[in-house]
Amino acid sequence: MPSLFTPLHAAAAEAVALHANVPASELKVDSTPRPELGDLAVGCFAIAKATQQSPAAVAQAIAAAFQPNEWLASATPAGPFVNFRVNRAAAFRWIANAATGGTIVPRVGADETICIDFGSPNIAKHLAYHHIRGTTIGHALMHTWRALGSRVVGINFLGDWGTTYGMVIAAYEKWGAPELTIDALNALYVRFRAEVPEPEAVGRACLARLERGEPEATALWQRFRDVSWAEYQSIYEILGIRYDDLNGESHFWRDAERIVGELRAQGLLVESEGAQVVELPNEKTPILLITKDGTTLYATRDIAAAEYRERTYHPTRSLYVVDRGQATHFRQLFKLLVKMGYEWASRCLHVPYGLVRVGGKKTGTRLGNVVLMRDVFAIAEDEVRAKIAEVNPQLPADVIAKVARDVGIGAVVFANLATQREKDIDFDLDKAVSLDGDSGPYLQYSHARCASILRKAGSRSTAAIDFGKLVTDA
Ligand code: ARG
């Protein structure tokens, strides 16, 4: 993916490349951390390595040799970076042209088909707040690739198969539930784990009933799945997410027999403590495909799903936006696909992200301090509503309600996107809804101000950016 989105970025990269033996397209151009440092920063690490100098010395030399040009006004060394100040007049001319229908995003992704597996929650549980990270990152990637002209397939690989649901079924058959809600299902699961000896083994036995197609177990599972999906959909609605492909894990377990047969024929499958596994190069543990009870596993279903995605969409990249904790799973999965002889395995990529902590603690169902995604949205909305009531009490109630919702949800989404993807984050609601600084409300405020300037200038702005219109063939 190129980082040279504007001629300003391209000019900064070229100004550095001119003095080094690297192509401009390989240099990363970022914004500087603070405006007083300049506008665009280019790191000199790769050049320093190639020329065996220190990055700071390289940055000094490049800044000293810099000559102002059409796009760039000055260059200053800043440690290992060269910071450029752009030529204001040229930059504004370019932005004005782009905003009125000229080129803003080149269609560099036009030949690509990108599968993006993101969100993909496990059923019978609420969407907890930690799910928001993968959900918003995946959704942002969908927008980004679409803006670059690619065909994008958003996939929700619902976690709707496995031992867990065997346990929920067994628990339901044992204790029942007054009402079938996610809360009730989750409570059944928690109680089952706490009270039943060897819950996993009982769960696997129940999963085997599902994998035999037993009607009672299947009907129960279907109800659990429907209840869960209805809840998730209402949240995707809030976030404006539309998936293109909803084939979850339950869609793929039937392929296990064929896959395992193939692996056996290829001589790759070995038995280990009754389970069927494959040994992988440079891995301490093998990848588990069939349990000793003959049921399928997460990895088995992921192999089938990967094959299906390749067959159905022929993606140029197949992205898995999943938390960093699953790095081993994906590394092993992709190694196995290579072993199976699939050349397309190299196009599969795990896009990991860090944990979300609320109040400094890892959130998760097991830890019992679940903060529900829905609740976080509601709280953010309330906070924003209170702020509006303070500064703008004369606004009509319906306007306040709409702004509070849009700004509140935007605040939460932005807080998750504004941090480095692989870093853990501490979710701080006060910071997220703050009106100044690096926040969603500030971004929306800036947009509203820009729109108002455009209106005063007799121009028109739209609330929704139509990326389709901004994309042209460059
Ligand atoms: N359901 C999994 C979880 O909640 C995530 C699935 C990610 N996608 C995949 N193809 N394995 O942890």
Side-chain angles (χ1 to χ4, degrees):
M1 179 125 149
S3 62
L4 312 180
F5 275 116
T6 70
L8 303 162
H9 289 75
E14 272 150 27
V16 170
L18 200 64
H19 300 283
N21 208 3
V22 290
S25 59
E26 270 172 33
L27 294 168
K28 196 160 167 275
V29 184
D30 274 319
S31 303
T32 60
R34 290 192 306 280
E36 62 272 23
L37 297 175
D39 302 302
L40 299 170
V42 184
C44 299
F45 307 98
I47 301 169
K49 207 165 165 202
T51 57
Q52 302 206 332
Q53 287 171 282
S54 78
V58 174
Q60 293 253 356
I62 291 174
F66 172 78
Q67 297 286 330
N69 60 32
E70 182 194 355
W71 297 107
L72 303 172
S74 67
T76 332
F81 293 93
V82 182
N83 290 347
F84 293 97
R85 189 162 286 283
V86 305
N87 176 337
R88 292 306 191 253
F92 286 126
R93 258 198 313 279
W94 181 79
I95 291 168
N97 175 42
T100 50
T103 306
I104 196 160
V105 187
R107 282 181 74 89
V108 291
D111 297 329
E112 304 227 25
T113 296
I114 317 290
C115 282
I116 309 181
D117 173 331
F118 72 102
S120 308
N122 295 331
I123 62 164
K125 281 183 194 168
H126 278 290
L127 278 194
Y129 185 65
H130 66 268
H131 287 112
I132 190 143
R133 201 84 200 277
T135 309
T136 52
I137 292 170
H139 193 208
L141 284 174
M142 263 178 96
H143 281 315
T144 309
W145 283 102
R146 282 211 174 113
L148 295 175
S150 308
R151 170 186 178 223
V152 176
V153 186
I155 302 175
N156 195 326
F157 184 65
L158 201 60
D160 59 357
W161 204 254
T163 315
T164 303
Y165 311 107
M167 288 192 253
V168 180
I169 290 173
Y172 185 83
E173 288 178 340
K174 198 171 166 71
W175 298 303
E179 234 189 320
L180 253 198
T181 58
I182 293 202
D183 280 325
L185 293 176
N186 200 26
L188 281 171
Y189 171 73
V190 172
R191 181 170 174 200
F192 194 80
R193 286 202 84 98
E195 295 183 17
V196 171
E198 302 211 41
E200 299 267 348
V202 184
R204 277 200 304 276
C206 233
L207 177 63
R209 284 169 57 198
L210 279 176
E211 293 196 352
R212 281 197 302 271
E214 196 190 273
E216 294 80 32
T218 307
L220 269 181
W221 167 82
Q222 186 66 51
R223 283 171 66 200
F224 299 165
R225 188 184 192 281
D226 291 347
V227 168
S228 309
W229 180 248
E231 159 91 8
Y232 304 160
Q233 226 177 350
S234 69
I235 299 211
Y236 297 141
E237 194 88 15
I238 295 176
L239 290 168
I241 297 177
R242 290 227 164 77
Y243 283 101
D244 305 292
D245 183 318
L246 294 176
N247 289 312
E249 292 190 43
S250 64
H251 192 77
F252 295 104
W253 66 268
R254 284 183 194 81
D255 291 309
E257 214 174 289
R258 174 187 52 78
I259 291 170
V260 167
E262 283 170 18
L263 288 168
R264 190 172 287 123
Q266 288 175 287
L268 296 174
L269 207 67
V270 282
E271 196 173 306
S272 163
E273 297 168 26
Q276 305 293 318
V277 309
V278 175
E279 302 281 353
L280 297 167
N282 301 321
E283 292 290 330
K284 286 199 193 80
T285 54
I287 187 164
L288 252 71
L289 297 181
I290 300 289
T291 66
K292 58 176 185 287
D293 303 284
T295 53
T296 60
L297 283 156
Y298 184 43
T300 335
R301 300 186 287 271
D302 246 334
I303 298 170
E307 290 179 335
Y308 155 84
R309 289 171 197 176
E310 170 59 25
R311 203 166 59 233
T312 314
Y313 306 113
H314 311 296
T316 40
R317 294 168 214 239
S318 191
L319 310 182
Y320 294 78
V321 183
V322 186
D323 74 84
R324 212 182 44 204
Q326 295 196 27
T328 304
H329 167 74
F330 286 106
R331 199 183 57 240
Q332 295 200 333
L333 174 69
F334 301 156
K335 280 188 185 174
L336 181 63
L337 295 174
V338 170
K339 262 198 140 176
M340 291 172 84
Y342 292 136
E343 50 75 37
W344 49 263
S346 62
R347 297 197 286 274
C348 297
L349 185 73
H350 177 207
V351 180
Y353 57 87
L355 302 171
V356 182
R357 293 164 206 275
V358 180
K361 283 194 210 121
K362 179 184 166 198
T363 62
T365 320
R366 295 245 175 86
L367 295 164
N369 61 338
V370 192
V371 181
L372 302 188
M373 192 130 74
R374 181 184 289 296
D375 295 345
V376 175
F377 287 138
I379 296 167
E381 197 177 321
D382 285 348
E383 296 272 323
V384 174
R385 191 180 301 110
K387 278 187 198 230
I388 302 174
E390 229 172 78
V391 293
N392 243 337
Q394 76 288 357
L395 279 180
D398 58 330
V399 175
I400 294 187
K402 164 121 183 57
V403 173
R405 192 174 172 86
D406 289 350
V407 175
I409 290 162
V412 176
V413 171
F414 185 86
N416 278 281
L417 292 177
T419 44
Q420 283 187 30
R421 176 164 52 78
E422 295 199 47
K423 284 209 174 133
D424 290 351
I425 59 172
D426 279 303
F427 179 67
D428 177 342
L429 187 73
D430 291 338
K431 212 174 134 215
V433 300
S434 147
L435 275 178
D436 34 51
D438 212 4
S439 74
Y442 185 75
L443 187 70
Q444 294 198 27
Y445 165 77
S446 309
H447 177 262
R449 286 292 304 266
C450 293
S452 134
I453 292 170
L454 281 176
R455 266 196 309 276
K456 282 196 186 130
S459 184
R460 203 171 47 83
S461 78
T462 54
I465 297 175
D466 180 349
F467 284 105
K469 283 219 186 86
L470 294 174
V471 174
T472 58
D473 294 295

PDB file of all heavy atoms in Angstrom, residues 79 167 170 349 398:
ATOM      1  N   GLY A  79      16.255  14.932  14.823  1.00  0.00           N
ATOM      2  CA  GLY A  79      16.733  13.587  15.161  1.00  0.00           C
ATOM      3  C   GLY A  79      16.883  12.781  13.881  1.00  0.00           C
ATOM      4  O   GLY A  79      17.476  13.264  12.909  1.00  0.00           O
ATOM      5  N   MET A 167     -21.358 -26.852  25.469  1.00  0.00           N
ATOM      6  CA  MET A 167     -21.561 -26.608  26.909  1.00  0.00           C
ATOM      7  C   MET A 167     -22.858 -25.845  27.150  1.00  0.00           C
ATOM      8  O   MET A 167     -23.594 -26.145  28.081  1.00  0.00           O
ATOM      9  CB  MET A 167     -20.381 -25.814  27.492  1.00  0.00           C
ATOM     10  CG  MET A 167     -19.122 -26.637  27.618  1.00  0.00           C
ATOM     11  SD  MET A 167     -17.874 -25.777  28.607  1.00  0.00           S
ATOM     12  CE  MET A 167     -16.735 -25.315  27.334  1.00  0.00           C
ATOM     13  N   ALA A 170     -25.714 -28.256  26.753  1.00  0.00           N
ATOM     14  CA  ALA A 170     -25.788 -29.163  27.909  1.00  0.00           C
ATOM     15  C   ALA A 170     -26.348 -28.437  29.130  1.00  0.00           C
ATOM     16  O   ALA A 170     -27.180 -28.978  29.872  1.00  0.00           O
ATOM     17  CB  ALA A 170     -24.409 -29.736  28.210  1.00  0.00           C
ATOM     18  N   LEU A 349      -3.121 -12.575   5.528  1.00  0.00           N
ATOM     19  CA  LEU A 349      -2.375 -11.738   6.454  1.00  0.00           C
ATOM     20  C   LEU A 349      -3.167 -11.492   7.741  1.00  0.00           C
ATOM     21  O   LEU A 349      -4.335 -11.112   7.686  1.00  0.00           O
ATOM     22  CB  LEU A 349      -2.097 -10.395   5.762  1.00  0.00           C
ATOM     23  CG  LEU A 349      -1.232  -9.421   6.517  1.00  0.00           C
ATOM     24  CD1 LEU A 349       0.212  -9.887   6.505  1.00  0.00           C
ATOM     25  CD2 LEU A 349      -1.323  -8.038   5.864  1.00  0.00           C
ATOM     26  N   ASP A 398     -34.642  17.737  19.845  1.00  0.00           N
ATOM     27  CA  ASP A 398     -34.359  16.682  18.858  1.00  0.00           C
ATOM     28  C   ASP A 398     -32.971  16.867  18.231  1.00  0.00           C
ATOM     29  O   ASP A 398     -32.285  15.902  17.912  1.00  0.00           O
ATOM     30  CB  ASP A 398     -35.449  16.606  17.788  1.00  0.00           C
ATOM     31  CG  ASP A 398     -35.618  17.921  17.046  1.00  0.00           C
ATOM     32  OD1 ASP A 398     -35.363  18.983  17.658  1.00  0.00           O
ATOM     33  OD2 ASP A 398     -35.983  17.901  15.853  1.00  0.00           O
TER      34      ASP A 398
END
